[in-house]
Each structure stands twice: as structure tokens, then as C-alpha cells.
């Protein structure tokens, strides 16, 4: 059964890859013909949802992204965090440079305006200034303060340098928790850690039954410029860790929630407008 599932999902994923390539070409041709730049953010969000659908993820959303501009702060478990969170809110990601070279996910990340950072390159302050500029222009940005992926059982200590972009731009911070489970237990397949390769990890995920993914959008908070960076980081980590604990305890399973079923169902994502008009949030992606 696992090999049949793998065959179906790989076929769907390859078709998705071909479709995204055609979409990229179509957007570029449209820009050349009309001589007008197209906002790729809604298109990237549409494609993120289809990527989640191809992966067969069963996504449950708790809470909602803020209506105003915020700095999202989330725990980091896998490369699949990017399409999942990108499907739920208009976000510019901050990610390691290697992600930009990954097939499909890298292209989608670039279309969503991801800010790439090289490890050990001493770019943190420059990137923080770029984040401040994006926030001041009204663009949501998401950072992973852990600085790496974890096994998804806890939340690693948060680094605070990039978090100062929020008070320095007078922008609220919205903590986000993401957790993966299979059969009611923490998912050991989703974490992308160590020296794992993208393609082998992708095939393992495609071969197995759907994972349940819970995403909690916590209440936005305002950090004062006078608050020490370490204190901001510690408080945000506590909030995200509390959310992860609740997810693994199953406390959110019976609550009223917005569910994004990406495996079965008749309803598909709506195409975004070429003019970049904001779409109403979908209740379901399938």
C-alpha cells in the first residue's frame, strides 16, 4: 500500500512541479507584455496550498494571523513548515540559503520573497535591517529564532538578535506554534534534522499515511525597545513551547477549529487575482 501511495503522490508532485514551472513562465511573460510587475505573493500562497495537498498533509489551524503587519516567530521542525505556514498567511520568510536551491520549495520560497541568509556569514545585522525595512513597508516577515530545525518534541532556545526588528520598527510580534503527529503521537518522520537529504526525506513523507499538522497563531504581543533581547526571546519561546505541549497532549483535537484538509474533499484553492487583490481566507483547501 505504501508503494502505491508513493506512486500516486510522486505523480501528483511531478505534475505540480510542471504546473508551477508553467505558472512562473506565464507570470514572467505577462510582466514582459504588460510592462507591469505582478505581485507574486498570492500566487505563491496558492502554490503553497497545492504543495501541501500533494504531500497529503492534514492541517488544522487554531487562531488566525493578525490583520495588521506583524513579525511572525515560529518553532522550526521541517522544510515542510514553509509551505504549511505560507499557505495560511501572506509571509516573507527568513531561511537558510540552501532552501533556495531545493526543487519546488525553493522556487516557491523565492516567489514569496524569502530572505535567504548564509550560515556563519555575519549577516545577522544586515538581515535585521532588511526585516525592519520589510515590516515598515507593511510586509509580514517570519523568522525561526531557534536557528535550526528540531525533532519537534520541544522548542530550542531562541536567539534574540533578529527579534529586535519588531520593537525597532514598532511592529507587534505574533508567536506561532507548529506540531506534527501521526496516530496521536509526535511524528518522527517530519523532522528534517542532521545531514538528511531533501529528496530522500520527501520520498519518506510521500510514502507514509498523512500526518496531522496543528498550527497555533497565538495572540500578538508588543515588545518594548527597552526590554532586553534575552527576555523577549525567553517569553516568546515559553509561549511557543506551551502551544507545542498542548498539541502533543491532544488538548486542541476536540476544539472548534479551522481545518485545512489537503488530502481529500471536493473544494480546491481559489486562483489569486493577477492584480494581487487580497483573497478571503479559505475554510478548506480540499
Amino acid at each position: 500500500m505504501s508503494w502505491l501511495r508513493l506512486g500516486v503522490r510522486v505523480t501528483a508532485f511531478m505534475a505540480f512541479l510542471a504546473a508551477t514551472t508553467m505558472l512562473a513562465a506565464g507570470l514572467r511573460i505577462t510582466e514582459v507584455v504588460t510592462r507591469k510587475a505582478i505581485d507574486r505573493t498570492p500566487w505563491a500562497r496558492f502554490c503553497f496550498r497545492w504543495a501541501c495537498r500533494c504531500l497529503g498533509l492534514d492541517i488544522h489551524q487554531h487562531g488566525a494571523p493578525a490583520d495588521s503587519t506583524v513579525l511572525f516567530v515560529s518553532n522550526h521542525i521541517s522544510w515542510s513548515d514553509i509551505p504549511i505556514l505560507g499557505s495560511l498567511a501572506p509571509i516573507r520568510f527568513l531561511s537558510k540559503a540552501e532552501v533556495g536551491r531545493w526543487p519546488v520549495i525553493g522556487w516557491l520560497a523565492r516567489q514569496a520573497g524569502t530572505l535567504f541568509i548564509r550560515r556563519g556569514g555575519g549577516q545577522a545585522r544586515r538581515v535585521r535591517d532588511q526585516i525592519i525595512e520589510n515590516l515598515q513597508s507593511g510586509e509580514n516577515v517570519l523568522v525561526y529564532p531557534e536557528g535550526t530545525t528540531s525533532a519537534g518534541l520541544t522548542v530550542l532556545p531562541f536567539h534574540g538578535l533578529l527579534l529586535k526588528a519588531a520593537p525597532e520598527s514598532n511592529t507587534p510580534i505574533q508567536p506561532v506554534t507548529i506540531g506534527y503527529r501521526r496516530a496521536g503521537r509526535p511524528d518522527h518522520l517530519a523532522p528534517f534534522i542532521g545531514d538528511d537529504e531533501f529528496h530522500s526525506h520527501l520520498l519518506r513523507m510521500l510514502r507514509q499515511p498523512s500526518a496531522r499538522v496543528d498550527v497555533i497563531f497565538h495572540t500578538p504581543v508588543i515588545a518594548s525597545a527597552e526590554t532586553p533581547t534575552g527576555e523577549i526571546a525567553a517569553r516568546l519561546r515559553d509561549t511557543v513551547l506551551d502551544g507545542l505541549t498542548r498539541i502533543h497532549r491532544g488538548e486542541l483535537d476536540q476544539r472548534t477549529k479551522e481545518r485545512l484538509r489537503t488530502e481529500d474533499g471536493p473544494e480546491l484553492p481559489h486562483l489569486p487575482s493577477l492584480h494581487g487583490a487580497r483573497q478571503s481566507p479559505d475554510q478548506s483547501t480540499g
Side-chain angles (χ1 to χ4, degrees), residues 196-257:
D196 210 348
E197 296 289 338
F198 173 76
H199 64 278
S200 59
H201 188 266
L202 171 63
L203 291 177
R204 288 200 302 273
M205 289 189 66
L206 293 176
R207 188 165 55 239
Q208 299 300 320
S210 299
R212 170 174 172 137
V213 185
D214 287 274
V215 179
I216 304 175
F217 287 94
H218 300 278
T219 303
V221 297
I222 298 178
S224 168
E226 289 74 31
T227 306
T229 301
E231 183 177 338
I232 296 175
R235 289 182 179 179
L236 292 172
R237 178 186 178 273
D238 288 344
T239 298
V240 174
L241 177 58
D242 177 70
L244 186 63
T245 300
R246 292 166 60 201
I247 289 173
H248 287 321
R249 287 178 178 171
E251 294 181 8
L252 305 177
D253 292 0
Q254 302 303 321
R255 296 182 60 180
T256 301
K257 53 196 170 290

Side-chain angles (χ1 to χ4, degrees), residues 24 47 75 82 86 102 127 176 193 199 202 204 226 237 243 281:
C47 291
N75 61 316
I82 294 176
W102 289 348
V127 171
V176 180
I193 53 180
H199 64 278
L202 171 63
R204 288 200 302 273
E226 289 74 31
R237 178 186 178 273

Side-chain angles (χ1 to χ4, degrees), residues 3 15 30 70 74 81 94 103 118 121 127 151 157 190 224 229 278 281 285:
W3 289 104
T30 302
V70 294
S74 175
D81 298 348
L94 175 67
R118 297 184 182 277
V127 171
S224 168
T229 301
R278 188 170 182 175
T285 60

Side-chain angles (χ1 to χ4, degrees), residues 52-119:
C52 292
R53 187 178 181 87
C54 291
L55 292 170
L57 298 172
D58 183 16
I59 304 173
H60 296 250
Q61 177 182 334
H62 311 274
D67 292 330
S68 58
T69 303
V70 294
L71 175 68
F72 289 108
V73 172
S74 175
N75 61 316
H76 197 14
I77 299 173
S78 177
W79 56 265
S80 54
D81 298 348
I82 294 176
I84 291 169
L85 297 177
S87 71
L88 300 178
I91 299 174
R92 294 196 69 172
F93 293 90
L94 175 67
S95 184
K96 59 183 181 180
E98 297 94 305
V99 173
R101 297 192 292 270
W102 289 348
V104 183
I105 301 301
W107 180 85
L108 290 175
R110 289 194 299 274
Q111 299 308 304
T114 297
L115 307 172
F116 294 106
I117 183 171
R118 297 184 182 277
R119 292 177 177 175

Side-chain angles (χ1 to χ4, degrees), residues 45 123 154-155 160 166 191 246:
R45 188 176 178 186
Q123 301 183 67
T154 187
V155 178
R246 292 166 60 201

